[in-house]
């Protein structure tokens, strides 16, 4: 199944759900991201969010380089 990537806007076959877009006056929608955007922006798939998550996109900061103390 292909979906539009919410980050780059490309219709890609390798998209996975990464979050929920909430709406005040109606149903929200599922946000999808392609493999390239997930890797470059370190976006976690929705199924890896904590159980108490509201569904907003989450990022994996574990691999983010930390500033070197001087």
């Amino acid at each position: 199944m292909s979906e539009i990537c919410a980050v780059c806007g490309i219709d890609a076959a390798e998209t996975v759900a990464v979050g929920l877009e909430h709406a005040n006056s109606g149903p929200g929608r599922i946000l999808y991201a392609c493999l390239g955007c997930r890797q470059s922006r370190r976006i976690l798939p929705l199924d890896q969010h904590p159980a108490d998550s509201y569904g907003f996109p989450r990022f994996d900061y574990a691999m983010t380089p930390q500033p070197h103390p001087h």
Side-chain angles (χ1 to χ4, degrees):
M1 171 156 103
S2 83
E3 299 286 344
I4 302 291
C5 176
V7 179
C8 67
I10 295 175
D11 187 8
E14 300 172 354
T15 56
V16 297
V18 294
L20 303 173
E21 182 175 60
H22 298 273
N24 290 331
S25 61
R29 67 184 184 107
I30 298 173
L31 298 174
Y32 295 90
C34 67
L35 178 62
C37 289
R38 286 193 327 264
Q39 289 177 341
S40 67
R41 296 173 187 250
R42 298 182 175 113
I43 302 172
L44 289 176
L46 188 57
D47 64 356
Q48 294 180 17
H49 288 203
D52 62 347
S53 170
Y54 287 110
F56 297 110
R58 291 185 175 253
F59 304 93
D60 182 6
Y61 292 109
M63 298 302 291
T64 304
Q66 299 298 315
H68 188 274
H70 290 79

